[in-house]
Amino acid sequence: MTRILPGVIAMATIVVASNILVQFLILDGLLTWGAFTYPLAFLVTDVMNRVYGVAAARKVVFSGLVVGIVCSLIGSQIMLQGDGFEYPAVALRIAIGSATAFLIAQLLDIAVFNRLRDGSWWTAPLGSTLVGSTVDTAIFFSIAFAGVFNGFSAAAAEEIIWAQDAVPFLNTGPLVPLWVSLAVADWGVKLSIALLALVPFRMIVGRMQRTAT
């Protein structure tokens, strides 16, 4: 456990920071600052996978999941005021979508990384992160905001109904549900960071492997 402690701490830090920064909107509400910290979770998972293997990477992922659930539980107890009524800082659907997307996407990232690990040094981290990020975005935004899930809970649907309003796609295109624009913008950030993260991945892995030997 000691050897993966830095990974556990890094993952926990990213999850907590993302849960805080998601409250701060930028680009007319298309993104939050949390969109730029959350993708770093894939970097942590990939580094752990490369240096210590699949089992260690899964332990780090599950530690991040526990931290994320705790953050959601805390957020669900914080009530905010708006339009004459109270609502939780973290809606139930958003909490479920976040936990589900994180777990499935991170485990998929590990599986894809392991399949590609014998290729060029960049193949596994880039390929696994692209796949994991795409799945993460699709699962989270669908569960959290898509109208198809409204029937499961009327109360939960009311909490996120704002995300289903028809607005111009990415503020400029044809009318689509707001959550679609949010998902595409978020996905674009994830893909960009997947490319940029190759540099720190190479540096961190090299340093950790030299230290281990």
Side-chain angles (χ1 to χ4, degrees), residues 160-195:
I160 53 83
I161 196 65
W162 54 269
Q164 297 172 11
D165 292 341
V167 298
F169 178 64
L170 296 178
N171 293 337
T172 59
L175 293 180
V176 297
L178 173 59
W179 71 268
V180 174
S181 290
L182 299 179
V184 172
D186 183 81
W187 182 61
V189 171
K190 285 190 176 82
L191 298 189
S192 298
I193 292 180
L195 292 170

PDB file of all heavy atoms in Angstrom, residues 160-195:
ATOM      1  N   ILE A 160     -32.590  18.875 -12.171  1.00  0.00           N
ATOM      2  CA  ILE A 160     -31.674  19.104 -13.294  1.00  0.00           C
ATOM      3  C   ILE A 160     -32.409  19.552 -14.559  1.00  0.00           C
ATOM      4  O   ILE A 160     -31.831  19.529 -15.651  1.00  0.00           O
ATOM      5  CB  ILE A 160     -30.866  17.820 -13.597  1.00  0.00           C
ATOM      6  CG1 ILE A 160     -31.778  16.593 -13.809  1.00  0.00           C
ATOM      7  CG2 ILE A 160     -29.896  17.536 -12.449  1.00  0.00           C
ATOM      8  CD1 ILE A 160     -32.343  16.449 -15.169  1.00  0.00           C
ATOM      9  N   ILE A 161     -33.672  19.966 -14.432  1.00  0.00           N
ATOM     10  CA  ILE A 161     -34.468  20.301 -15.605  1.00  0.00           C
ATOM     11  C   ILE A 161     -33.851  21.430 -16.420  1.00  0.00           C
ATOM     12  O   ILE A 161     -34.038  21.520 -17.634  1.00  0.00           O
ATOM     13  CB  ILE A 161     -35.922  20.668 -15.180  1.00  0.00           C
ATOM     14  CG1 ILE A 161     -36.856  20.629 -16.383  1.00  0.00           C
ATOM     15  CG2 ILE A 161     -35.948  22.004 -14.480  1.00  0.00           C
ATOM     16  CD1 ILE A 161     -37.035  19.252 -16.981  1.00  0.00           C
ATOM     17  N   TRP A 162     -33.085  22.282 -15.745  1.00  0.00           N
ATOM     18  CA  TRP A 162     -32.428  23.394 -16.439  1.00  0.00           C
ATOM     19  C   TRP A 162     -31.498  22.901 -17.547  1.00  0.00           C
ATOM     20  O   TRP A 162     -31.313  23.587 -18.568  1.00  0.00           O
ATOM     21  CB  TRP A 162     -31.621  24.237 -15.447  1.00  0.00           C
ATOM     22  CG  TRP A 162     -30.635  23.426 -14.650  1.00  0.00           C
ATOM     23  CD1 TRP A 162     -30.844  22.828 -13.456  1.00  0.00           C
ATOM     24  CD2 TRP A 162     -29.286  23.095 -15.026  1.00  0.00           C
ATOM     25  NE1 TRP A 162     -29.723  22.149 -13.036  1.00  0.00           N
ATOM     26  CE2 TRP A 162     -28.752  22.303 -13.976  1.00  0.00           C
ATOM     27  CE3 TRP A 162     -28.493  23.407 -16.119  1.00  0.00           C
ATOM     28  CZ2 TRP A 162     -27.455  21.803 -14.016  1.00  0.00           C
ATOM     29  CZ3 TRP A 162     -27.190  22.914 -16.164  1.00  0.00           C
ATOM     30  CH2 TRP A 162     -26.682  22.121 -15.126  1.00  0.00           C
ATOM     31  N   ALA A 163     -30.912  21.721 -17.361  1.00  0.00           N
ATOM     32  CA  ALA A 163     -29.952  21.199 -18.334  1.00  0.00           C
ATOM     33  C   ALA A 163     -30.627  20.685 -19.593  1.00  0.00           C
ATOM     34  O   ALA A 163     -29.958  20.392 -20.587  1.00  0.00           O
ATOM     35  CB  ALA A 163     -29.120  20.083 -17.706  1.00  0.00           C
ATOM     36  N   GLN A 164     -31.963  20.577 -19.568  1.00  0.00           N
ATOM     37  CA  GLN A 164     -32.697  20.069 -20.728  1.00  0.00           C
ATOM     38  C   GLN A 164     -33.330  21.183 -21.556  1.00  0.00           C
ATOM     39  O   GLN A 164     -33.996  20.926 -22.557  1.00  0.00           O
ATOM     40  CB  GLN A 164     -33.755  19.073 -20.252  1.00  0.00           C
ATOM     41  CG  GLN A 164     -33.142  17.847 -19.589  1.00  0.00           C
ATOM     42  CD  GLN A 164     -34.153  16.935 -18.949  1.00  0.00           C
ATOM     43  OE1 GLN A 164     -35.352  17.073 -19.139  1.00  0.00           O
ATOM     44  NE2 GLN A 164     -33.678  15.973 -18.153  1.00  0.00           N
ATOM     45  N   ASP A 165     -33.098  22.425 -21.144  1.00  0.00           N
ATOM     46  CA  ASP A 165     -33.594  23.559 -21.932  1.00  0.00           C
ATOM     47  C   ASP A 165     -32.923  23.586 -23.299  1.00  0.00           C
ATOM     48  O   ASP A 165     -31.719  23.303 -23.417  1.00  0.00           O
ATOM     49  CB  ASP A 165     -33.317  24.875 -21.209  1.00  0.00           C
ATOM     50  CG  ASP A 165     -34.144  25.035 -19.942  1.00  0.00           C
ATOM     51  OD1 ASP A 165     -35.169  24.324 -19.821  1.00  0.00           O
ATOM     52  OD2 ASP A 165     -33.768  25.847 -19.083  1.00  0.00           O
ATOM     53  N   ALA A 166     -33.675  23.929 -24.326  1.00  0.00           N
ATOM     54  CA  ALA A 166     -33.129  24.025 -25.684  1.00  0.00           C
ATOM     55  C   ALA A 166     -32.366  25.336 -25.839  1.00  0.00           C
ATOM     56  O   ALA A 166     -32.921  26.416 -25.617  1.00  0.00           O
ATOM     57  CB  ALA A 166     -34.240  23.930 -26.716  1.00  0.00           C
ATOM     58  N   VAL A 167     -31.103  25.237 -26.191  1.00  0.00           N
ATOM     59  CA  VAL A 167     -30.247  26.410 -26.389  1.00  0.00           C
ATOM     60  C   VAL A 167     -29.392  26.172 -27.637  1.00  0.00           C
ATOM     61  O   VAL A 167     -29.237  25.033 -28.093  1.00  0.00           O
ATOM     62  CB  VAL A 167     -29.331  26.650 -25.170  1.00  0.00           C
ATOM     63  CG1 VAL A 167     -30.151  26.921 -23.917  1.00  0.00           C
ATOM     64  CG2 VAL A 167     -28.410  25.459 -24.956  1.00  0.00           C
ATOM     65  N   PRO A 168     -28.808  27.233 -28.214  1.00  0.00           N
ATOM     66  CA  PRO A 168     -27.924  27.046 -29.374  1.00  0.00           C
ATOM     67  C   PRO A 168     -26.736  26.145 -29.026  1.00  0.00           C
ATOM     68  O   PRO A 168     -26.116  26.313 -27.977  1.00  0.00           O
ATOM     69  CB  PRO A 168     -27.473  28.473 -29.699  1.00  0.00           C
ATOM     70  CG  PRO A 168     -28.559  29.346 -29.160  1.00  0.00           C
ATOM     71  CD  PRO A 168     -29.015  28.667 -27.905  1.00  0.00           C
ATOM     72  N   PHE A 169     -26.450  25.195 -29.887  1.00  0.00           N
ATOM     73  CA  PHE A 169     -25.348  24.264 -29.673  1.00  0.00           C
ATOM     74  C   PHE A 169     -24.035  25.023 -29.526  1.00  0.00           C
ATOM     75  O   PHE A 169     -23.643  25.795 -30.396  1.00  0.00           O
ATOM     76  CB  PHE A 169     -25.257  23.287 -30.845  1.00  0.00           C
ATOM     77  CG  PHE A 169     -24.126  22.300 -30.745  1.00  0.00           C
ATOM     78  CD1 PHE A 169     -24.088  21.364 -29.732  1.00  0.00           C
ATOM     79  CD2 PHE A 169     -23.093  22.311 -31.679  1.00  0.00           C
ATOM     80  CE1 PHE A 169     -23.051  20.457 -29.629  1.00  0.00           C
ATOM     81  CE2 PHE A 169     -22.061  21.398 -31.602  1.00  0.00           C
ATOM     82  CZ  PHE A 169     -22.042  20.466 -30.573  1.00  0.00           C
ATOM     83  N   LEU A 170     -23.359  24.838 -28.394  1.00  0.00           N
ATOM     84  CA  LEU A 170     -22.115  25.538 -28.063  1.00  0.00           C
ATOM     85  C   LEU A 170     -22.281  27.047 -28.218  1.00  0.00           C
ATOM     86  O   LEU A 170     -21.357  27.764 -28.615  1.00  0.00           O
ATOM     87  CB  LEU A 170     -20.953  25.033 -28.928  1.00  0.00           C
ATOM     88  CG  LEU A 170     -20.555  23.570 -28.726  1.00  0.00           C
ATOM     89  CD1 LEU A 170     -19.432  23.171 -29.660  1.00  0.00           C
ATOM     90  CD2 LEU A 170     -20.132  23.308 -27.269  1.00  0.00           C
ATOM     91  N   ASN A 171     -23.491  27.516 -27.928  1.00  0.00           N
ATOM     92  CA  ASN A 171     -23.863  28.938 -27.947  1.00  0.00           C
ATOM     93  C   ASN A 171     -23.918  29.558 -29.340  1.00  0.00           C
ATOM     94  O   ASN A 171     -24.140  30.764 -29.462  1.00  0.00           O
ATOM     95  CB  ASN A 171     -22.896  29.775 -27.079  1.00  0.00           C
ATOM     96  CG  ASN A 171     -23.027  29.443 -25.610  1.00  0.00           C
ATOM     97  OD1 ASN A 171     -24.056  28.939 -25.157  1.00  0.00           O
ATOM     98  ND2 ASN A 171     -21.979  29.730 -24.851  1.00  0.00           N
ATOM     99  N   THR A 172     -23.726  28.755 -30.376  1.00  0.00           N
ATOM    100  CA  THR A 172     -23.723  29.336 -31.725  1.00  0.00           C
ATOM    101  C   THR A 172     -24.517  28.529 -32.742  1.00  0.00           C
ATOM    102  O   THR A 172     -24.920  29.057 -33.769  1.00  0.00           O
ATOM    103  CB  THR A 172     -22.281  29.465 -32.261  1.00  0.00           C
ATOM    104  OG1 THR A 172     -21.678  28.162 -32.296  1.00  0.00           O
ATOM    105  CG2 THR A 172     -21.450  30.396 -31.389  1.00  0.00           C
ATOM    106  N   GLY A 173     -24.754  27.251 -32.530  1.00  0.00           N
ATOM    107  CA  GLY A 173     -25.355  26.366 -33.523  1.00  0.00           C
ATOM    108  C   GLY A 173     -26.855  26.216 -33.369  1.00  0.00           C
ATOM    109  O   GLY A 173     -27.523  27.033 -32.736  1.00  0.00           O
ATOM    110  N   PRO A 174     -27.405  25.138 -33.926  1.00  0.00           N
ATOM    111  CA  PRO A 174     -28.847  24.871 -33.831  1.00  0.00           C
ATOM    112  C   PRO A 174     -29.254  24.545 -32.397  1.00  0.00           C
ATOM    113  O   PRO A 174     -28.407  24.222 -31.558  1.00  0.00           O
ATOM    114  CB  PRO A 174     -29.041  23.658 -34.752  1.00  0.00           C
ATOM    115  CG  PRO A 174     -27.699  22.984 -34.758  1.00  0.00           C
ATOM    116  CD  PRO A 174     -26.699  24.107 -34.705  1.00  0.00           C
ATOM    117  N   LEU A 175     -30.548  24.609 -32.132  1.00  0.00           N
ATOM    118  CA  LEU A 175     -31.035  24.357 -30.781  1.00  0.00           C
ATOM    119  C   LEU A 175     -30.898  22.880 -30.402  1.00  0.00           C
ATOM    120  O   LEU A 175     -31.304  21.991 -31.152  1.00  0.00           O
ATOM    121  CB  LEU A 175     -32.501  24.779 -30.671  1.00  0.00           C
ATOM    122  CG  LEU A 175     -32.802  26.274 -30.798  1.00  0.00           C
ATOM    123  CD1 LEU A 175     -34.302  26.520 -30.677  1.00  0.00           C
ATOM    124  CD2 LEU A 175     -32.041  27.071 -29.748  1.00  0.00           C
ATOM    125  N   VAL A 176     -30.320  22.650 -29.243  1.00  0.00           N
ATOM    126  CA  VAL A 176     -30.168  21.305 -28.681  1.00  0.00           C
ATOM    127  C   VAL A 176     -30.329  21.441 -27.171  1.00  0.00           C
ATOM    128  O   VAL A 176     -30.212  22.540 -26.615  1.00  0.00           O
ATOM    129  CB  VAL A 176     -28.791  20.685 -29.002  1.00  0.00           C
ATOM    130  CG1 VAL A 176     -28.597  20.497 -30.496  1.00  0.00           C
ATOM    131  CG2 VAL A 176     -27.673  21.534 -28.401  1.00  0.00           C
ATOM    132  N   PRO A 177     -30.598  20.334 -26.460  1.00  0.00           N
ATOM    133  CA  PRO A 177     -30.617  20.427 -24.992  1.00  0.00           C
ATOM    134  C   PRO A 177     -29.280  20.943 -24.481  1.00  0.00           C
ATOM    135  O   PRO A 177     -28.215  20.574 -24.994  1.00  0.00           O
ATOM    136  CB  PRO A 177     -30.866  18.979 -24.559  1.00  0.00           C
ATOM    137  CG  PRO A 177     -31.577  18.359 -25.720  1.00  0.00           C
ATOM    138  CD  PRO A 177     -30.972  18.989 -26.939  1.00  0.00           C
ATOM    139  N   LEU A 178     -29.333  21.792 -23.479  1.00  0.00           N
ATOM    140  CA  LEU A 178     -28.108  22.394 -22.946  1.00  0.00           C
ATOM    141  C   LEU A 178     -27.073  21.348 -22.576  1.00  0.00           C
ATOM    142  O   LEU A 178     -25.869  21.544 -22.802  1.00  0.00           O
ATOM    143  CB  LEU A 178     -28.454  23.243 -21.716  1.00  0.00           C
ATOM    144  CG  LEU A 178     -27.274  23.817 -20.922  1.00  0.00           C
ATOM    145  CD1 LEU A 178     -26.405  24.702 -21.795  1.00  0.00           C
ATOM    146  CD2 LEU A 178     -27.775  24.573 -19.702  1.00  0.00           C
ATOM    147  N   TRP A 179     -27.522  20.208 -22.009  1.00  0.00           N
ATOM    148  CA  TRP A 179     -26.556  19.214 -21.540  1.00  0.00           C
ATOM    149  C   TRP A 179     -25.717  18.643 -22.676  1.00  0.00           C
ATOM    150  O   TRP A 179     -24.569  18.228 -22.453  1.00  0.00           O
ATOM    151  CB  TRP A 179     -27.237  18.095 -20.760  1.00  0.00           C
ATOM    152  CG  TRP A 179     -28.078  17.151 -21.567  1.00  0.00           C
ATOM    153  CD1 TRP A 179     -29.400  17.246 -21.825  1.00  0.00           C
ATOM    154  CD2 TRP A 179     -27.625  15.951 -22.213  1.00  0.00           C
ATOM    155  NE1 TRP A 179     -29.827  16.179 -22.583  1.00  0.00           N
ATOM    156  CE2 TRP A 179     -28.755  15.370 -22.836  1.00  0.00           C
ATOM    157  CE3 TRP A 179     -26.393  15.303 -22.318  1.00  0.00           C
ATOM    158  CZ2 TRP A 179     -28.674  14.180 -23.571  1.00  0.00           C
ATOM    159  CZ3 TRP A 179     -26.312  14.120 -23.045  1.00  0.00           C
ATOM    160  CH2 TRP A 179     -27.442  13.573 -23.653  1.00  0.00           C
ATOM    161  N   VAL A 180     -26.244  18.661 -23.888  1.00  0.00           N
ATOM    162  CA  VAL A 180     -25.476  18.174 -25.037  1.00  0.00           C
ATOM    163  C   VAL A 180     -24.275  19.085 -25.289  1.00  0.00           C
ATOM    164  O   VAL A 180     -23.145  18.613 -25.521  1.00  0.00           O
ATOM    165  CB  VAL A 180     -26.367  18.083 -26.290  1.00  0.00           C
ATOM    166  CG1 VAL A 180     -25.528  17.711 -27.512  1.00  0.00           C
ATOM    167  CG2 VAL A 180     -27.482  17.069 -26.079  1.00  0.00           C
ATOM    168  N   SER A 181     -24.499  20.390 -25.248  1.00  0.00           N
ATOM    169  CA  SER A 181     -23.394  21.332 -25.408  1.00  0.00           C
ATOM    170  C   SER A 181     -22.379  21.186 -24.289  1.00  0.00           C
ATOM    171  O   SER A 181     -21.161  21.232 -24.515  1.00  0.00           O
ATOM    172  CB  SER A 181     -23.922  22.770 -25.436  1.00  0.00           C
ATOM    173  OG  SER A 181     -24.639  23.027 -26.626  1.00  0.00           O
ATOM    174  N   LEU A 182     -22.885  21.012 -23.064  1.00  0.00           N
ATOM    175  CA  LEU A 182     -21.991  20.845 -21.926  1.00  0.00           C
ATOM    176  C   LEU A 182     -21.125  19.600 -22.093  1.00  0.00           C
ATOM    177  O   LEU A 182     -19.926  19.605 -21.790  1.00  0.00           O
ATOM    178  CB  LEU A 182     -22.794  20.744 -20.626  1.00  0.00           C
ATOM    179  CG  LEU A 182     -23.666  21.950 -20.263  1.00  0.00           C
ATOM    180  CD1 LEU A 182     -24.407  21.688 -18.955  1.00  0.00           C
ATOM    181  CD2 LEU A 182     -22.835  23.213 -20.156  1.00  0.00           C
ATOM    182  N   ALA A 183     -21.734  18.516 -22.586  1.00  0.00           N
ATOM    183  CA  ALA A 183     -21.004  17.260 -22.774  1.00  0.00           C
ATOM    184  C   ALA A 183     -19.923  17.396 -23.842  1.00  0.00           C
ATOM    185  O   ALA A 183     -18.791  16.937 -23.659  1.00  0.00           O
ATOM    186  CB  ALA A 183     -21.977  16.144 -23.150  1.00  0.00           C
ATOM    187  N   VAL A 184     -20.263  18.035 -24.951  1.00  0.00           N
ATOM    188  CA  VAL A 184     -19.297  18.186 -26.049  1.00  0.00           C
ATOM    189  C   VAL A 184     -18.133  19.075 -25.620  1.00  0.00           C
ATOM    190  O   VAL A 184     -16.966  18.778 -25.912  1.00  0.00           O
ATOM    191  CB  VAL A 184     -19.988  18.755 -27.300  1.00  0.00           C
ATOM    192  CG1 VAL A 184     -18.960  19.107 -28.373  1.00  0.00           C
ATOM    193  CG2 VAL A 184     -20.999  17.752 -27.854  1.00  0.00           C
ATOM    194  N   ALA A 185     -18.439  20.165 -24.922  1.00  0.00           N
ATOM    195  CA  ALA A 185     -17.375  21.052 -24.442  1.00  0.00           C
ATOM    196  C   ALA A 185     -16.462  20.324 -23.464  1.00  0.00           C
ATOM    197  O   ALA A 185     -15.231  20.424 -23.533  1.00  0.00           O
ATOM    198  CB  ALA A 185     -17.992  22.295 -23.795  1.00  0.00           C
ATOM    199  N   ASP A 186     -17.064  19.573 -22.559  1.00  0.00           N
ATOM    200  CA  ASP A 186     -16.300  18.808 -21.573  1.00  0.00           C
ATOM    201  C   ASP A 186     -15.435  17.759 -22.256  1.00  0.00           C
ATOM    202  O   ASP A 186     -14.267  17.567 -21.894  1.00  0.00           O
ATOM    203  CB  ASP A 186     -17.267  18.146 -20.590  1.00  0.00           C
ATOM    204  CG  ASP A 186     -16.548  17.383 -19.495  1.00  0.00           C
ATOM    205  OD1 ASP A 186     -16.103  18.021 -18.533  1.00  0.00           O
ATOM    206  OD2 ASP A 186     -16.433  16.138 -19.603  1.00  0.00           O
ATOM    207  N   TRP A 187     -16.003  17.074 -23.246  1.00  0.00           N
ATOM    208  CA  TRP A 187     -15.258  16.046 -23.984  1.00  0.00           C
ATOM    209  C   TRP A 187     -14.065  16.649 -24.707  1.00  0.00           C
ATOM    210  O   TRP A 187     -12.975  16.072 -24.732  1.00  0.00           O
ATOM    211  CB  TRP A 187     -16.211  15.368 -24.970  1.00  0.00           C
ATOM    212  CG  TRP A 187     -15.616  14.259 -25.765  1.00  0.00           C
ATOM    213  CD1 TRP A 187     -15.082  13.103 -25.292  1.00  0.00           C
ATOM    214  CD2 TRP A 187     -15.515  14.186 -27.199  1.00  0.00           C
ATOM    215  NE1 TRP A 187     -14.657  12.298 -26.336  1.00  0.00           N
ATOM    216  CE2 TRP A 187     -14.915  12.942 -27.515  1.00  0.00           C
ATOM    217  CE3 TRP A 187     -15.898  15.034 -28.224  1.00  0.00           C
ATOM    218  CZ2 TRP A 187     -14.664  12.551 -28.826  1.00  0.00           C
ATOM    219  CZ3 TRP A 187     -15.655  14.640 -29.542  1.00  0.00           C
ATOM    220  CH2 TRP A 187     -15.049  13.408 -29.832  1.00  0.00           C
ATOM    221  N   GLY A 188     -14.253  17.834 -25.269  1.00  0.00           N
ATOM    222  CA  GLY A 188     -13.154  18.501 -25.958  1.00  0.00           C
ATOM    223  C   GLY A 188     -11.996  18.811 -25.029  1.00  0.00           C
ATOM    224  O   GLY A 188     -10.823  18.651 -25.396  1.00  0.00           O
ATOM    225  N   VAL A 189     -12.311  19.245 -23.822  1.00  0.00           N
ATOM    226  CA  VAL A 189     -11.263  19.514 -22.832  1.00  0.00           C
ATOM    227  C   VAL A 189     -10.541  18.224 -22.465  1.00  0.00           C
ATOM    228  O   VAL A 189      -9.313  18.189 -22.379  1.00  0.00           O
ATOM    229  CB  VAL A 189     -11.859  20.173 -21.570  1.00  0.00           C
ATOM    230  CG1 VAL A 189     -10.813  20.253 -20.464  1.00  0.00           C
ATOM    231  CG2 VAL A 189     -12.390  21.557 -21.898  1.00  0.00           C
ATOM    232  N   LYS A 190     -11.302  17.159 -22.256  1.00  0.00           N
ATOM    233  CA  LYS A 190     -10.688  15.874 -21.903  1.00  0.00           C
ATOM    234  C   LYS A 190      -9.712  15.408 -22.984  1.00  0.00           C
ATOM    235  O   LYS A 190      -8.614  14.919 -22.685  1.00  0.00           O
ATOM    236  CB  LYS A 190     -11.766  14.810 -21.697  1.00  0.00           C
ATOM    237  CG  LYS A 190     -12.551  14.918 -20.395  1.00  0.00           C
ATOM    238  CD  LYS A 190     -13.403  13.677 -20.218  1.00  0.00           C
ATOM    239  CE  LYS A 190     -14.138  13.670 -18.874  1.00  0.00           C
ATOM    240  NZ  LYS A 190     -15.365  14.463 -18.920  1.00  0.00           N
ATOM    241  N   LEU A 191     -10.109  15.535 -24.249  1.00  0.00           N
ATOM    242  CA  LEU A 191      -9.236  15.098 -25.340  1.00  0.00           C
ATOM    243  C   LEU A 191      -7.976  15.949 -25.404  1.00  0.00           C
ATOM    244  O   LEU A 191      -6.873  15.437 -25.654  1.00  0.00           O
ATOM    245  CB  LEU A 191      -9.985  15.176 -26.674  1.00  0.00           C
ATOM    246  CG  LEU A 191     -11.217  14.279 -26.813  1.00  0.00           C
ATOM    247  CD1 LEU A 191     -11.725  14.308 -28.255  1.00  0.00           C
ATOM    248  CD2 LEU A 191     -10.912  12.842 -26.404  1.00  0.00           C
ATOM    249  N   SER A 192      -8.111  17.245 -25.189  1.00  0.00           N
ATOM    250  CA  SER A 192      -6.953  18.136 -25.218  1.00  0.00           C
ATOM    251  C   SER A 192      -5.980  17.792 -24.099  1.00  0.00           C
ATOM    252  O   SER A 192      -4.754  17.725 -24.303  1.00  0.00           O
ATOM    253  CB  SER A 192      -7.408  19.599 -25.080  1.00  0.00           C
ATOM    254  OG  SER A 192      -8.241  19.968 -26.161  1.00  0.00           O
ATOM    255  N   ILE A 193      -6.512  17.558 -22.910  1.00  0.00           N
ATOM    256  CA  ILE A 193      -5.651  17.235 -21.778  1.00  0.00           C
ATOM    257  C   ILE A 193      -5.017  15.861 -21.945  1.00  0.00           C
ATOM    258  O   ILE A 193      -3.892  15.619 -21.492  1.00  0.00           O
ATOM    259  CB  ILE A 193      -6.448  17.328 -20.461  1.00  0.00           C
ATOM    260  CG1 ILE A 193      -6.821  18.801 -20.204  1.00  0.00           C
ATOM    261  CG2 ILE A 193      -5.654  16.771 -19.286  1.00  0.00           C
ATOM    262  CD1 ILE A 193      -7.599  19.033 -18.950  1.00  0.00           C
ATOM    263  N   ALA A 194      -5.724  14.944 -22.621  1.00  0.00           N
ATOM    264  CA  ALA A 194      -5.146  13.622 -22.889  1.00  0.00           C
ATOM    265  C   ALA A 194      -3.852  13.754 -23.693  1.00  0.00           C
ATOM    266  O   ALA A 194      -2.875  13.028 -23.452  1.00  0.00           O
ATOM    267  CB  ALA A 194      -6.156  12.759 -23.651  1.00  0.00           C
ATOM    268  N   LEU A 195      -3.833  14.683 -24.632  1.00  0.00           N
ATOM    269  CA  LEU A 195      -2.633  14.913 -25.440  1.00  0.00           C
ATOM    270  C   LEU A 195      -1.549  15.606 -24.620  1.00  0.00           C
ATOM    271  O   LEU A 195      -0.389  15.195 -24.629  1.00  0.00           O
ATOM    272  CB  LEU A 195      -2.973  15.744 -26.676  1.00  0.00           C
ATOM    273  CG  LEU A 195      -3.848  15.055 -27.732  1.00  0.00           C
ATOM    274  CD1 LEU A 195      -4.313  16.064 -28.774  1.00  0.00           C
ATOM    275  CD2 LEU A 195      -3.070  13.924 -28.407  1.00  0.00           C
TER     276      LEU A 195
END
